[in-house]
C-alpha cells in the first residue's frame, strides 16, 4: 500500500492545526458563520439535517486494517457507533460535534487519513476500480495513476476555486467497475495499436439533474502526459466553466455547449503549451509509485484449493455466498471476496464500529492487511486464499456481514436521503429497506440474477439512480414523498441513462411497483438475458402496461 | 396565517434546536414557541439573529407548524424528520455488532 512520505505527513498535520485554530476562532467569535462555512467545508465538514457530518476520504477506496480500526474507533468515541460508506469510496460520520472535529482529524492523521477536498469546488477523492491489482481482466493497477492524481490535485492552487466540484475515476480493466462514464473525467487504461499502454480520456460525464455520459476527448494518451493533459482540461474548464448558475457549472454543461470537438481542440491547444513542462511523468516516477502497489507476497498455489471445493459441496449456504460474493483472482488459489453492506432491511453502506473492527481483523489475518471500499457501498477483501474463505464467511456471518447478494437486486445503492440530508426531498433508506426485504422474502433474487436497483432522495442523484436498471428518484409533491422510476440505465461499458417510465408512485406503493417491473422482466426475458438487454429488446411498453395498465 | 416556529442548529454540536417561549433554545420541539402572527415570527427571528451573532446557533429560519396534542408539530415531512430524528434504526440489529 501507499504510505505517506514526509511531505504528506507535514501537509496533513499542518492542515489539522490550521483547522483547530479556525474552530477555536469560530467558537470565540472571531469568525462569523459566513467566514467559517467555506473553511469547514474545505475540511469535509457539512451541517446536515440533524447534526454536523464529516466526510473522510479513502483514496481510491484502499485502506489497511489499522485505518479501518481507526474509523471504528472514531465512530465509537466521537459518533454514535457507526459510519456510512459512500458512492465515492469515502466514509461519513453523521453526528460529530464541531469542537471534536479537530481531534478526529488529528486521530485520522495518525493513520495517514484526512478529510481534505471531500467537499467544495475542488478536485475530489479520485476513485478507482475496487478490484484494482487483483482482477483477471486488468491491464494495469489504476491506483498508481489515482495516487499520482492525488498528489497533483491536493491543494493545487490553481484549482482550489473551480466553478464546481470535480470528480475523476480511473480503471485499468476491461469491465468498467468504476463508472468512469459518469465522472467529470474518466480514465481507462488500454493498449493502442502499437501495443503501448496509455489512457482513453473521457470528459463531461455526470449524474444530477442533467445526466450525461462522458465523451472521449482523447483515444490514447501516453502515460507520461497524464498530469499535463489533466491540467490542460482543468484549465479550460476553470476558464470557461460557468460560475453564474450552479446548475450549469459542471464541466458536462461546458462540453455540451462547446461541443466535444471544440472542447477537445481547446484542451489540445493548452496541452501543447505545457506538454513538456514540470508535469511530465518520467517512467522512474511511475515505477516508484507502482512499487507502493506491488502485489503482496502470495503463496504459490497450484490452482483451485481442493478443500475449498469440498467445503462448498458440503455447505449450501457457504456455496451460495461463494457464488454471489466471491470473484476470481489473478493469483491461482486466491479469491476476491465482496462483503455486502446491504443486509435485507439494513441501511445500504452503513457499518457499525464492531463490524469495522472485524473487517480490520479479517484484512490483517487473511488479506495482506488490505481492504477496499466500492462505489456500490460495499467492502472488499482483495487477496484471500480460497482455503480461508469458509472461516472468513463464518466470521462475517456472526457479524451480520455475510449477506449473499453482491450485484443482485438487493445490492441497492442508496443515498442518505431525507433521513439525514439537507438537500433531500424524500427518504431513500426506508425505501431500500422495504424493497430489500420484499425481494429477499420473495425468494426470487437468484432467479432475477444480476440487477442494479439504485435510489436517490433528490435530483442530485448521489444514489446513482440514472445508472441503474431500475432507478428510483424521490421527489416532493406538496410536502409528500413520491418516487419516480427510470429504467435501462447502466454505469458499465454499455453505459446508458435510465428513461423515466411514467408518473411517480407514493411511498406506500413504490415497492409494489418495483415488483411489477421485475415480474414483467421475468416473464418476457429470454434465457440468460440481462435486464438491460430485455429492456432494449422490448422497449418501455410492457413495463408501462404493467405499471399503469393498458393505455 | 399558518402558525410558525423558529428552528436552527446549535453551533457547538449541530443539534436541532427550537426557540422557546422564554427565548431559549431547546432540543425538544414540544418546547417551541408557536407564533400565530407575522409580527411575532419577525420578533422570534430577531432573537434568533441575536443568538446567531452570539454564536449559540447557526442557520435559523421559521417553518410552518401546527398545534397538536403533544405541542407544536411541523407540517412538512422534512421538518418532522428533523424534529424526531432519522426514521430508521441505525446500527446492526445483531447484539455485539
Amino acid at each position: 500500500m501507499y504510505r505517506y512520505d514526509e511531505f504528506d505527513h507535514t501537509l496533513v498535520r499542518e492542515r489539522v492545526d490550521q483547522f483547530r485554530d479556525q474552530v477555536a476562532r469560530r467558537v470565540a467569535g472571531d469568525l462569523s458563520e459566513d467566514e467559517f462555512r467555506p473553511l469547514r467545508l474545505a475540511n469535509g465538514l457539512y451541517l446536515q439535517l440533524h447534526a454536523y457530518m464529516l466526510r473522510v476520504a479513502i483514496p481510491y477506496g484502499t485502506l489497511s486494517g489499522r485505518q479501518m480500526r481507526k474509523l471504528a474507533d472514531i465512530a465509537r468515541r466521537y459518533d454514535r457507533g457507526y459510519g456510512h460508506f459512500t458512492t465515492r469510496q469515502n466514509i461519513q460520520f453523521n453526528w460529530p460535534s464541531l469542537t471534536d472535529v479537530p481531534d478526529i482529524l488529528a486521530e485520522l492523521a495518525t493513520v495517514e487519513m484526512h478529510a481534505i477536498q471531500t467537499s467544495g469546488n475542488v478536485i475530489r477523492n479520485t476513485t478507482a476500480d475496487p478490484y484494482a491489482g487483483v482482477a483477471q481482466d486488468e491491464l494495469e493497477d489504476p491506483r498508481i495513476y489515482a495516487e499520482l492524481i492525488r498528489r497533483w490535485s491536493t491543494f493545487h492552487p490553481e484549482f482550489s476555486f473551480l466553478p464546481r466540484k470535480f470528480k475523476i475515476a480511473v480503471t485499468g480493466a476491461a469491465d468498467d467497475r468504476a463508472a468512469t462514464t459518469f465522472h467529470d473525467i474518466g480514465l481507462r487504461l488500454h493498449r493502442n495499436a502499437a501495443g503501448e499502454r496509455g489512457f482513453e480520456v473521457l470528459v463531461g460525464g455526470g449524474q444530477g439533474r442533467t445526466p450525461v455520459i462522458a465523451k472521449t476527448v482523447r483515444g490514447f494518451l501516453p502515460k507520461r502526459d497524464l498530469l499535463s493533459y489533466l491540467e490542460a482540461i482543468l484549465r479550460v474548464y476553470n476558464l470557461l466553466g460557468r460560475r453564474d448558475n450552479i446548475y450549469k457549472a459542471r464541466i458536462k454543461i461546458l462540453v455540451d455547449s462547446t461541443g466535444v470537438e471544440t472542447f477537445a481542440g481547446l484542451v489540445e491547444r493548452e496541452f501543447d503549451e505545457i506538454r513538456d513542462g514540470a508535469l511530465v511523468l518520467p517512467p522512474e516516477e511511475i515505477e516508484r509509485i507502482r512499487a507502493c502497489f506491488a502485489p503482496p507476497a502470495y503463496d504459490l498455489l497450484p490452482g483451485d484449493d481442493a478443500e475449498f471445493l469440498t467445503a462448498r459441496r458440503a455447505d449450501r449456504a457457504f456455496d451460495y455466498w461463494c457464488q454471489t460474493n466471491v470473484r476470481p483472482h489473478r493469483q491461482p488459489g486466491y479469491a476476491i471476496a465482496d462483503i455486502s453492506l446491504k443486509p435485507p432491511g439494513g441501511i445500504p453502506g452503513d457499518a457499525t464500529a464492531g463490524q469495522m473492527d472485524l473487517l480490520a481483523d479479517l484484512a490483517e489475518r487473511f488479506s495482506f492487511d488490505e481492504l477496499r471500499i466500492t462505489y456500490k457501498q460495499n467492502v472488499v477483501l482483495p487477496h484471500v486464499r480460497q482455503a480461508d474463505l469458509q472461516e472468513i464467511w463464518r466470521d462475517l456471518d456472526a457479524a451480520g456481514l455475510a449477506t449473499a447478494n453482491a450485484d443482485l437486486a438487493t445490492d441497492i445503492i442508496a443515498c442518505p436521503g431525507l433521513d439525514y440530508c439537507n438537500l433531500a426531498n424524500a427518504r431513500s433508506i426506508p425505501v431500500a429497506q422495504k424493497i430489500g426485504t420484499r425481494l429477499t422474502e420473495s425468494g426470487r433474487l437468484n432467479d432475477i440474477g444480476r440487477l442494479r436497483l439504485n435510489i436517490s432522495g433528490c435530483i442530485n442523484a448521489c444514489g446513482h439512480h440514472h445508472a441503474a436498471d431500475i432507478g428510483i428518484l424521490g421527489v416532493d409533491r406538496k410536502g409528500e414523498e413520491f418516487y419516480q422510476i427510470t429504467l435501462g440505465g447502466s454505469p458499465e461499458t454499455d453505459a446508458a441513462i435510465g428513461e423515466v417510465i411514467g408518473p411517480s408512485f407514493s411511498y406506500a406503493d413504490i415497492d409494489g411497483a418495483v415488483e411489477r417491473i421485475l415480474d414483467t422482466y421475468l416473464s418476457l426475458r429470454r434465457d440468460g438475458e440481462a435486464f438491460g438487454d430485455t429492456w432494449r429488446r422490448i422497449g418501455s411498453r410492457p413495463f408501462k402496461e404493467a405499471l399503469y395498465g393498458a393505455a | 396565517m399558518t402558525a410558525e416556529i423558529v428552528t436552527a442548529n446549535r453551533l457547538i454540536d449541530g443539534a436541532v434546536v427550537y426557540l422557546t417561549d422564554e427565548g431559549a433554545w431547546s432540543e425538544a420541539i414540544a418546547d417551541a414557541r408557536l407564533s400565530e402572527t407575522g409580527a411575532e415570527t419577525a420578533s422570534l427571528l430577531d432573537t434568533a439573529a441575536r443568538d446567531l451573532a452570539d454564536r449559540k446557533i447557526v442557520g435559523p429560519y421559521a417553518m410552518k407548524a401546527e398545534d397538536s396534542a403533544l405541542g407544536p408539530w411541523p407540517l412538512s415531512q422534512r421538518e418532522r424528520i428533523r424534529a424526531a430524528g432519522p426514521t430508521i434504526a441505525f446500527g446492526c440489529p445483531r447484539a455485539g455488532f
Side-chain angles (χ1 to χ4, degrees):
Chain A
M1 272 182 57
Y2 178 77
R3 297 299 309 265
Y4 275 14
D5 59 21
E6 62 180 292
F7 296 106
D8 294 316
H9 275 295
T10 305
L11 178 134
V12 171
R13 254 197 323 263
E14 284 178 358
R15 179 48 95 85
V16 174
D17 294 342
Q18 194 180 49
F19 190 57
R20 192 182 292 283
D21 178 58
Q22 289 160 348
V23 170
R25 285 192 285 149
R26 173 70 186 112
V27 172
D30 299 334
L31 290 175
S32 70
E33 185 60 18
D34 286 345
E35 289 165 328
F36 181 65
R37 191 170 167 275
L39 300 174
R40 72 166 155 74
L41 288 174
N43 290 284
L45 190 64
Y46 289 74
L47 184 56
Q48 287 288 25
L49 216 48
H50 309 288
Y52 290 100
M53 180 273 279
L54 181 66
R55 181 181 296 150
V56 177
I58 300 172
Y60 30 88
T62 296
L63 76 174
S64 67
R66 185 162 163 258
Q67 290 174 318
M68 184 64 109
R69 227 183 277 289
K70 180 55 74 183
L71 296 177
D73 178 48
I74 288 168
R76 224 177 248 123
R77 284 165 57 202
Y78 299 103
D79 209 272
R80 297 194 180 175
Y82 69 102
H84 176 75
F85 291 101
T86 77
T87 54
R88 298 216 71 256
Q89 301 180 315
N90 294 318
I91 185 170
Q92 295 179 176
F93 294 107
N94 289 310
W95 307 94
S97 280
L98 173 62
T99 40
D100 281 340
V101 172
D103 290 339
I104 297 174
L105 295 177
E107 293 278 352
L108 287 169
T110 65
V111 296
E112 306 178 5
M113 294 183 85
H114 60 73
I116 295 163
Q117 291 181 206
T118 60
S119 175
N121 296 334
V122 292
I123 300 170
R124 305 285 188 89
N125 184 29
T126 296
T127 53
D129 183 349
Y131 299 166
V134 294
Q136 286 187 336
D137 65 341
E138 183 179 280
L139 183 65
E140 204 174 322
D141 194 325
R143 293 173 302 168
I144 301 161
Y145 305 96
E147 172 55 28
L148 287 160
I149 293 168
R150 186 190 70 82
R151 291 163 165 242
W152 160 76
S153 62
T154 302
F155 298 149
H156 193 308
E158 195 177 328
F159 306 138
S160 295
F161 297 94
L162 293 171
R164 197 76 179 89
K165 59 187 167 182
F166 204 92
K167 303 174 181 179
I168 305 176
V170 198
T171 179
D175 279 344
D176 189 345
R177 288 175 290 263
T180 56
T181 51
F182 282 103
H183 282 76
D184 294 293
I185 295 180
L187 297 167
R188 291 176 169 170
L189 270 157
H190 69 108
R191 254 189 244 277
N192 67 5
E196 299 153 333
R197 293 171 181 189
F199 298 93
E200 178 186 358
V201 183
L202 299 111
V203 175
Q207 304 194 56
R209 70 186 60 225
T210 316
V212 182
I213 292 170
K215 295 167 190 77
T216 303
V217 292
R218 240 303 176 138
F220 185 84
L221 179 74
K223 292 178 191 175
R224 78 182 280 278
D225 296 329
L226 176 65
L227 297 183
S228 323
Y229 199 80
L230 293 180
E231 181 113 337
I233 295 172
L234 265 295
R235 280 190 173 173
V236 171
Y237 170 54
N238 206 16
L239 205 61
L240 301 180
R242 288 182 61 169
R243 292 169 194 269
D244 60 325
N245 182 339
I246 190 174
Y247 302 124
K248 294 188 174 172
R250 295 291 288 266
I251 195 172
K252 61 190 173 188
I253 305 294
L254 174 63
V255 173
D256 183 61
S257 69
T258 60
V260 68
E261 269 124 46
T262 305
F263 180 83
L266 292 168
V267 171
E268 291 291 336
R269 199 183 313 158
E270 180 63 32
F271 174 57
D272 271 342
E273 299 279 330
I274 59 173
R275 64 190 309 161
D276 296 317
L279 290 172
V280 169
L281 285 172
E284 343 41 288
E285 176 62 3
I286 295 175
E287 291 315 306
R288 199 172 68 79
I289 301 298
R290 184 190 308 282
C292 305
F293 299 99
Y298 296 119
D299 290 331
L300 293 175
L301 304 170
D304 283 343
D305 183 78
E307 275 179 46
F308 164 67
L309 298 174
T310 312
R312 283 185 68 163
R313 278 191 292 273
D315 186 335
R316 280 184 59 184
F318 172 56
D319 181 57
Y320 185 62
W321 180 75
C322 291
Q323 269 180 52
T324 56
N325 289 44
V326 174
R327 310 277 179 243
H329 197 283
R330 66 191 339 173
Q331 184 72 19
Y334 282 80
I336 303 168
D338 272 348
I339 297 161
S340 169
L341 297 182
K342 322 286 178 66
I347 298 174
D350 271 19
T352 64
Q355 289 176 325
M356 288 187 238
D357 276 340
L358 176 76
L359 292 168
D361 189 45
L362 291 175
E364 286 163 356
R365 280 162 63 207
F366 299 113
S367 186
F368 294 95
D369 196 17
E370 205 177 312
L371 291 155
R372 308 285 174 80
I373 306 304
T374 78
Y375 85 82
K376 293 183 180 172
Q377 305 176 281
N378 292 315
V379 181
V380 172
L381 287 169
H383 323 275
V384 297
R385 284 169 58 130
Q386 290 177 342
D388 293 328
L389 276 167
Q390 196 172 26
E391 187 177 347
I392 292 170
W393 172 74
R394 286 198 184 112
D395 286 353
L396 290 171
D397 193 36
L401 288 170
T403 310
N405 67 348
D407 296 330
L408 299 184
T410 55
D411 189 357
I412 298 170
I413 296 176
C415 69
L418 194 53
D419 281 298
Y420 289 102
C421 179
N422 240 335
L423 303 173
N425 289 320
R427 286 173 294 165
S428 307
I429 294 166
V431 174
Q433 291 174 324
K434 250 179 7 153
I435 293 172
T437 304
R438 184 165 178 152
L439 293 182
T440 305
E441 284 169 359
S442 77
R444 298 194 300 176
L445 269 189
N446 197 29
D447 187 26
I448 296 165
R450 275 179 67 106
L451 189 127
R452 290 172 297 256
L453 200 163
N454 300 342
I455 308 172
S456 304
C458 81
I459 193 65
N460 291 309
C462 297
H464 290 214
H465 69 278
H466 294 300
D469 292 309
I470 303 175
I472 299 175
L473 166 66
V475 294
D476 175 289
R477 263 179 34 189
K478 294 180 185 153
E480 232 186 299
E481 294 160 299
F482 272 77
Y483 296 88
Q484 187 183 71
I485 295 177
T486 51
L487 297 180
S490 168
E492 294 176 16
T493 24
D494 61 346
I497 293 161
E499 202 178 292
V500 178
I501 193 75
S504 53
F505 294 88
S506 70
Y507 179 81
D509 292 337
I510 183 65
D511 47 333
V514 167
E515 189 127 46
R516 289 205 294 286
I517 291 165
L518 291 171
D519 289 341
T520 308
Y521 163 55
L522 290 179
S523 66
L524 296 175
R525 76 172 168 193
R526 291 179 177 154
D527 267 358
E529 196 177 48
F531 186 93
D533 295 327
T534 305
W535 163 258
R536 280 186 287 269
R537 180 170 59 77
I538 69 176
S540 61
R541 202 165 145 197
F543 294 101
K544 282 187 175 155
E545 283 175 8
L547 289 172
Y548 307 106
Chain B
M1 68 168 258
T2 316
E4 289 181 318
I5 52 186
V6 170
T7 181
N9 291 79
R10 199 156 52 208
L11 171 67
I12 296 298
D13 61 2
V16 175
V17 287
Y18 300 94
L19 193 53
T20 70
D21 283 341
E22 293 78 37
W25 295 93
S26 168
E27 287 184 52
I29 192 167
D31 298 339
R33 164 99 190 183
L34 195 64
S35 151
E36 303 283 356
T37 67
E40 195 181 351
T41 300
S43 145
L44 293 177
L45 287 171
D46 282 345
T47 306
R50 186 199 66 208
D51 289 346
L52 175 70
D54 283 351
R55 310 175 314 274
K56 289 182 187 161
I57 49 136
V58 291
Y61 59 94
M63 51 101 164
K64 293 182 174 24
E66 61 190 357
D67 206 9
S68 78
L70 298 171
W73 190 238
L75 297 189
S76 78
Q77 173 75 328
R78 177 183 191 274
E79 289 301 335
R80 288 176 179 181
I81 292 173
R82 220 170 140 261
T87 64
I88 47 189
F90 34 80
C92 176
R94 296 207 193 183
F97 283 94

